[in-house]
Amino acid sequence: MKKTNQETADKITFKNLRRLYFFALLTIAVTIIVSQVLVQYNLNQQLSDSKIINISGKQRMLSQKIVKEVLILHYVADTVSSKQISHLKNVLSLWKNTQNSLENGNDSLAFPKEKSETLAKLYIEVKPNFSKIAETTDLLLLNLAQKNKIADNQKLVEIILKNEGVFLSKMNQIVTQYDLEAHEKVTEQRRIEYWIFGFTLLILLLEFFFIFKPTNKKIERLIAKLLSSEKKALKLAYDTEIISEIKENSVKELKSLNYAMENTLLYCRIAPDGSIIHIGEKFAKLLNYTKFSSNKKFSEVLTTDEKEQLNIDRIIFEKHRSGWQGEIKIINKEAQSIWLDLSMVPVTIKKDELELLIVCFNITERKKAQREVERLNIENSTEKINQQKIISSKIVENQENEQNRIAKEIHDGIGQMLTGLKFSLESINLDDKEKAAQKIEYLKKLSLDIIKGVRTATFNLMPPELSDHGIVSSLSKLTQELSKLTGKEILFYNKTDFSQRLDSLIEINIYRLTQEAINNAIKYAESSHIIVQLSHSDTLLSIIVDDNGKGFDIHTVDKKRNSESGMGLLFMKERIQYINGRVFIKSIPGEGTRITFNIPI
């Protein structure tokens, strides 16, 4: 609205400016025309005056010529020829006509009829002399033509000469008066021109102050507005161009998006009653949808299963305002089962006009993969259960074996030695001091062997160093004891001077893992040197067991899970996982084996 009012005001201003300019130009034009009319009129008057002055002066010459011709004809010529008479008549006729035109006016000669009072008086005064000369000359010419009354001609000549002087005097006054009046007209013309010049300057000055100057200011303001409007128009054009480019890009993006949706997404638009408005190309190909089936409902096109159709119609009826998302199973025309992740979104196109946007994802392969994963999980669970059963049975078997071994060691070793100790004590004869002393020495040795056996048996069950001093001391003691018992060189290195105490459960598992690795190296690897290295960082404890034994093929042992060596590695992995650790086994046949335990601390 504001812009329209401004445009109306600008139009009114332009109209007023045009009117002012038109008025100014009209005033100047009228002034110029009036001045030119006056100037031309006065110039014409001056031209007429100059012509009158010239002819009035010529009248004097003609009067003198008439007198001269008369004198020649009367006194000088011996004979009067008709030619001379004719010439005098012509001069006399010209003189008469000219004098009559000067006195009474002549349109052809542009002589005015009206004269000033002075000129009118002078013409009245000169008229008798003019008439006397003209009449006398006519009489003279008549006498000369008839050649009679020569004595009368003398009188006529004298009359002519007498009036000639007066005529010349009067004509001089007339010429002088004409010249004076012409000069007055020139002066008047100059004064008029000065007045016209002054009036023109006044008009121009008034127009400058009241028209051109205000108009110039208005024009400057208008030009400023026009420049501002031009800038705004340029900016608007630039913005329009940018908007046009954005619009073109948006159209291109929409086309690309539409193409992508048509060829990549499974989507369609349906009415709340389930009728199809539009269906994407990819979705149409999946459902074998054609224009011949356009009169069918969405549920009928989606699946051939009547129960699923009823279910889909129910979902559309109940959720057409709130929307819905879920997985459905459909059966196409080829009787193939397809799983779809379907989302139904209500979209308001116009007021009280609702559509449903259906977007689907084909999750059939994912469903197949899930089923395969479930099947594999069941198989893995079954296998793990079987493995756990085997591990449990092996653990129970090992516990039984360990108990039998301990019982056998106690029975065969400690028990026999205790029995021998009993019999030896009973057989001591204090009376035979020498034999009694030998038996006492034997009993001392036997007691030491019993103590050693008990210590060995109890060491294998739970080393006291582990609970008293921690993992470092117990591993050091383990390597020393096993080295003494087996005669092999078993060395322990605490490379980072680890001295922390860990949870008792973690320490006993670390101990058993290391013990198992050393026992495997002693029992199966046939090694002569075993090195145990302990190192740590802020978050990790690492134990490495190296031997120079015969090594083995890891893949072959992994396949033989039911073998004793395979079960030993499996026990290690199960135990290390129990304390959230990891085990790494590297073995090269003929070169040796390295087992690394990494436990978070």
Side-chain angles (χ1 to χ4, degrees):
M1 184 67 181
K2 186 176 180 181
K3 186 176 180 181
T4 305
N5 294 335
Q6 184 64 37
E7 290 178 353
T8 305
D10 291 341
K11 289 180 180 179
I12 293 171
T13 303
F14 276 116
K15 287 182 179 179
N16 293 333
L17 287 175
R18 284 199 298 268
R19 290 173 183 171
L20 288 172
Y21 270 109
F22 177 76
F23 176 74
L25 293 174
L26 181 62
T27 304
I28 294 171
V30 168
T31 303
I32 292 171
I33 290 170
V34 169
S35 62
Q36 282 297 316
V37 168
L38 292 174
V39 168
Q40 291 299 324
Y41 174 77
N42 288 319
L43 286 176
N44 289 330
Q45 289 294 324
Q46 289 173 9
L47 290 174
S48 177
D49 289 344
S50 63
K51 189 176 181 181
I52 289 173
I53 292 170
N54 184 29
I55 292 176
S56 60
K58 190 177 179 181
Q59 281 295 91
R60 295 181 303 175
M61 180 270 293
L62 289 174
S63 66
Q64 290 175 355
K65 190 174 183 180
I66 290 171
V67 172
K68 181 182 176 181
E69 292 291 333
V70 168
L71 291 175
I72 290 172
L73 289 173
H74 181 68
Y75 293 107
V76 178
D78 294 335
T79 60
V80 177
S81 63
S82 59
K83 186 176 181 181
Q84 289 175 327
I85 293 171
S86 177
H87 178 68
L88 180 58
K89 285 181 178 181
N90 291 333
V91 173
L92 181 61
S93 176
L94 177 61
W95 183 66
K96 288 179 180 180
N97 291 332
T98 302
Q99 188 67 23
N100 185 51
S101 297
L102 287 171
E103 185 178 355
N104 299 316
N106 190 310
D107 294 333
S108 61
L109 295 175
F111 290 167
K113 293 181 180 180
E114 295 181 358
K115 298 176 181 60
S116 65
E117 185 178 351
T118 304
L119 284 173
K121 184 177 180 181
L122 289 172
Y123 275 113
I124 291 172
E125 292 177 353
V126 81
K127 189 173 183 179
N129 301 104
F130 168 76
S131 300
K132 198 68 176 177
I133 293 171
E135 293 173 356
T136 303
T137 304
D138 287 336
L139 290 173
L140 180 64
L141 287 173
L142 181 61
N143 291 334
L144 289 174
Q146 295 177 357
K147 296 180 180 181
N148 55 11
K149 298 179 181 180
I150 296 173
D152 292 336
N153 290 340
Q154 179 64 36
K155 292 180 180 180
L156 294 173
V157 170
E158 290 176 357
I159 293 170
I160 291 171
L161 290 173
K162 181 180 178 181
N163 287 286
E164 170 65 13
V166 177
F167 178 79
L168 288 174
S169 176
K170 296 293 183 181
M171 284 305 298
N172 283 333
Q173 292 178 4
I174 289 172
V175 171
T176 302
Q177 184 62 32
Y178 272 123
D179 184 61
L180 181 62
E181 290 182 1
H183 185 268
E184 289 177 355
K185 288 180 180 180
V186 171
T187 303
E188 182 67 20
Q189 173 65 25
R190 186 180 291 113
R191 188 168 59 254
I192 291 171
E193 287 183 354
Y194 283 146
W195 276 103
I196 292 172
F197 178 70
F199 180 74
T200 304
L201 287 179
L202 179 62
I203 293 296
L204 291 174
L205 191 62
L206 292 174
E207 289 181 350
F208 174 76
F209 282 106
F210 294 102
I211 296 177
F212 292 109
K213 191 174 181 180
T215 302
N216 183 54
K217 290 182 180 179
K218 290 182 180 179
I219 289 172
E220 287 179 354
R221 288 196 294 268
L222 284 174
I223 290 173
K225 288 181 180 179
L226 288 173
L227 291 174
S228 177
S229 300
E230 183 183 10
K231 290 181 181 179
K232 291 180 181 178
L234 290 173
K235 186 178 183 301
L236 182 61
Y238 178 73
D239 294 341
T240 304
E241 186 177 355
I242 291 176
I243 291 171
S244 178
E245 291 180 0
I246 293 173
K247 182 179 177 182
E248 290 179 1
N249 293 332
S250 299
V251 170
K252 290 179 181 178
E253 291 176 359
L254 286 173
K255 288 182 178 178
S256 301
L257 180 61
N258 183 59
Y259 179 79
M261 289 180 65
E262 290 287 339
N263 293 277
T264 59
L265 286 179
L266 303 176
Y267 87 100
C268 72
R269 293 160 49 211
I270 65 173
D273 61 356
S275 59
I276 296 175
I277 298 173
H278 174 73
I279 188 167
E281 292 184 9
K282 188 175 181 180
F283 205 12
K285 290 179 182 178
L286 179 67
L287 302 176
N288 292 325
Y289 176 83
T290 61
K291 62 181 181 179
F292 299 106
S293 56
S294 59
N295 57 345
K296 292 184 178 180
K297 281 189 171 184
F298 174 68
S299 58
E300 296 173 350
V301 173
L302 192 63
T303 181
T304 57
D305 189 340
E306 293 184 359
K307 291 183 178 180
E308 283 295 328
Q309 290 178 2
L310 294 173
N311 183 42
I312 293 168
D313 287 335
R314 180 186 59 79
I315 292 172
I316 292 173
F317 176 76
E318 294 178 355
K319 305 292 184 180
H320 69 276
R321 291 193 178 277
S322 60
W324 183 83
Q325 194 274 332
E327 296 178 357
I328 61 171
K329 181 182 179 182
I330 65 172
I331 299 174
N332 62 8
K333 294 180 179 179
E334 286 77 18
Q336 296 175 338
S337 296
I338 300 174
W339 280 92
L340 296 177
D341 186 351
L342 187 145
S343 297
M344 181 173 66
V345 182
V347 179
T348 303
I349 304 301
K350 295 179 182 178
K351 187 177 181 181
D352 299 330
E353 186 176 341
L354 184 68
E355 288 185 6
L356 296 176
L357 178 63
I358 306 294
V359 180
C360 300
F361 295 95
N362 191 343
I363 58 172
T364 305
E365 295 298 325
R366 191 178 77 187
K367 281 291 184 180
K368 290 180 180 178
Q370 287 178 352
R371 290 179 179 176
E372 183 65 19
V373 169
E374 290 173 359
R375 185 185 65 79
L376 292 174
N377 287 336
I378 292 172
E379 291 181 358
N380 290 334
S381 298
T382 304
E383 184 180 356
K384 284 185 177 180
I385 290 171
N386 293 332
Q387 288 180 359
Q388 289 295 335
K389 288 180 179 179
I390 294 171
I391 292 170
S392 298
S393 63
K394 288 293 182 182
I395 290 172
V396 171
E397 183 181 349
N398 286 339
Q399 288 176 347
E400 291 293 331
N401 292 333
E402 185 68 17
Q403 290 175 358
N404 291 332
R405 182 186 64 78
I406 294 170
K408 186 177 180 181
E409 286 181 356
I410 293 172
H411 181 272
D412 294 341
I414 299 172
Q416 290 180 3
M417 285 188 287
L418 289 173
T419 303
L421 179 62
K422 177 186 175 188
F423 287 134
S424 296
L425 288 172
E426 290 177 350
S427 64
I428 292 175
N429 187 2
L430 297 176
D431 295 333
D432 190 352
K433 293 182 179 181
E434 184 177 353
K435 288 182 179 180
Q438 290 178 355
K439 286 184 179 181
I440 289 170
E441 290 297 327
Y442 172 73
L443 289 173
K444 288 180 180 179
K445 183 180 179 183
L446 184 59
S447 298
L448 291 173
D449 290 339
I450 292 171
I451 291 170
K452 184 177 180 181
V454 171
R455 290 181 63 187
T456 302
T458 55
F459 180 79
N460 287 330
L461 290 173
M462 176 60 74
E465 286 82 1
L466 187 61
S467 59
D468 296 338
H469 303 290
I471 190 65
V472 175
S473 179
S474 61
L475 289 180
S476 177
K477 185 69 174 176
L478 174 66
T479 54
Q480 292 175 8
E481 292 293 333
L482 290 177
S483 179
K484 291 178 183 179
L485 291 172
T486 60
K488 298 179 183 294
E489 187 174 3
I490 304 174
L491 303 175
F492 172 74
Y493 295 101
N494 185 2
K495 296 178 67 176
T496 58
D497 295 327
F498 181 74
S499 60
Q500 292 179 233
R501 290 301 303 269
L502 304 175
D503 183 80
S504 60
L505 185 62
I506 295 175
E507 287 185 340
I508 189 62
N509 277 284
I510 293 173
Y511 181 84
R512 292 304 182 194
L513 286 167
T514 308
Q515 185 182 37
E516 182 72 20
I518 296 172
N519 287 333
N520 286 341
I522 294 170
K523 188 173 181 181
Y524 303 112
E526 299 178 2
S527 58
S528 60
H529 291 79
I530 301 171
I531 298 175
V532 180
Q533 303 177 67
L534 184 145
S535 60
H536 79 287
S537 64
D538 293 337
T539 58
L540 192 69
L541 177 68
S542 180
I543 297 173
I544 300 173
V545 180
D546 286 315
D547 68 68
N548 63 346
K550 61 183 180 180
F552 60 91
D553 187 352
I554 297 174
H555 300 291
T556 303
V557 173
D558 282 339
K559 290 178 181 178
K560 297 178 180 180
R561 288 291 177 86
N562 295 325
S563 65
E564 188 173 356
S565 59
M567 291 305 297
L569 294 178
L570 182 61
F571 290 152
M572 280 188 187
K573 292 178 180 179
E574 290 289 335
R575 190 183 288 272
I576 196 70
Q577 288 178 3
Y578 183 70
I579 57 175
N580 297 322
R582 298 184 67 186
V583 60
F584 301 94
I585 302 172
K586 182 179 180 182
S587 183
I588 300 175
E591 295 187 11
T593 302
R594 166 173 284 191
I595 299 175
T596 302
F597 302 108
N598 290 334
I599 302 96
I601 58 175

